[in-house]
Amino acid sequence: MEAIAIQPREMTCHTILYAAHDAFRRDVDRLAAAAAAGKGRASHVRAGWENFKDLFRVHHDLEERVLWPRVERAVAGRRAELAALAEVRAEHAGIEPLIGRVDAAMDDGGDLRPAVADLRAALEMLLRHKETGALTLAESVLADEEWRAFAAEAGRSCETRTPQFVPWVVDGIAPIQRSRFLTALPAPVRELNRVMWEPHYRKRRLWSV
Ligand SMILES: [Fe+2]
């Protein structure tokens, strides 16, 4: 099947970035719940964890490569803003070793809970800093054409992940948020999600124990 890009508009960019953050939080909460129940290594939990890692890396690669450099150019010479961006980038770099600790705990058969708790805390700090700092800054300094360029690049970079990404974002979210996210997408993407992507996603039974 030919890959379909989301190709979001400016407001859609924000909706998609924030919705992804909530989906990351949801997944790590699910992992924490499974670990607390002694089911952290169940096959569908591991599949959910692998899916989380894949989409986390795609999302952050896009921010690191395409979004933050645009914001940095827009705030060139403004030390406080550049420092806030550098802080977010450093926090992001700090997540990978914590993901590695969860992987190691999965493999060595020990208690998953401490590694998952540390990941959850660091992830929350990173996402909050992005939402209250770096993304707010991006919204205030990037012109419409910059958002369009970001959206085009995001569409090109992530089009093969769109069938995986859309149903993952709306997995388990409240009806009003689901509707807000889906209506931000182009109608053909929404329809593909309804007839193909979401049914396929449900069959994967990610996180079920
Ligand atoms: Fe993000």
Side-chain angles (χ1 to χ4, degrees), residues 81-92:
E81 285 85 348
L82 289 169
L85 288 167
E87 187 178 13
V88 161
R89 290 184 140 185
E91 285 175 0
H92 173 223

Side-chain angles (χ1 to χ4, degrees), residues 17-18 20-21 24 59-60 63 68 126-127 130 135:
L17 291 169
Y18 282 97
H21 288 185
F24 293 134
H59 174 94
H60 285 281
E63 289 179 339
W68 305 144
L126 167 67
L127 297 179
K130 283 204 284 190
L135 280 175

Side-chain angles (χ1 to χ4, degrees), residues 23-160:
F24 293 134
R25 291 179 168 106
R26 177 208 62 212
D27 275 4
V28 178
D29 284 347
R30 287 176 172 176
L31 179 58
K39 303 273 180 64
R41 294 175 187 82
S43 63
H44 294 295
V45 173
R46 290 196 81 138
W49 169 241
E50 294 301 319
N51 189 66
F52 165 88
K53 287 189 291 181
D54 183 42
L55 290 173
F56 182 81
R57 285 166 179 155
V58 168
H59 174 94
H60 285 281
D61 173 65
L62 194 63
E63 289 179 339
E64 292 289 325
R65 226 172 13 85
V66 186
L67 184 57
W68 305 144
R70 287 181 188 283
V71 182
E72 284 170 344
R73 282 197 294 276
V75 298
R78 290 161 58 177
R79 286 172 61 178
E81 285 85 348
L82 289 169
L85 288 167
E87 187 178 13
V88 161
R89 290 184 140 185
E91 285 175 0
H92 173 223
I95 297 287
E96 280 298 327
L98 297 173
I99 288 176
R101 267 186 62 205
V102 174
D103 276 334
M106 286 259 188
D107 291 340
D108 72 16
D111 188 353
L112 275 175
R113 290 174 296 179
V116 175
D118 287 349
L119 171 64
R120 181 72 179 86
L123 181 71
E124 184 57 33
M125 188 180 293
L126 167 67
L127 297 179
R128 273 178 195 253
H129 277 161
K130 283 204 284 190
E131 289 160 358
T132 60
L135 280 175
T136 308
L137 179 64
E139 285 159 19
S140 69
V141 298
L142 293 186
D144 286 354
E145 67 203 53
E146 291 273 11
W147 282 110
R148 275 195 291 277
F150 169 68
E153 178 60 32
R156 277 193 297 276
S157 296
C158 304
E159 62 181 1
T160 59

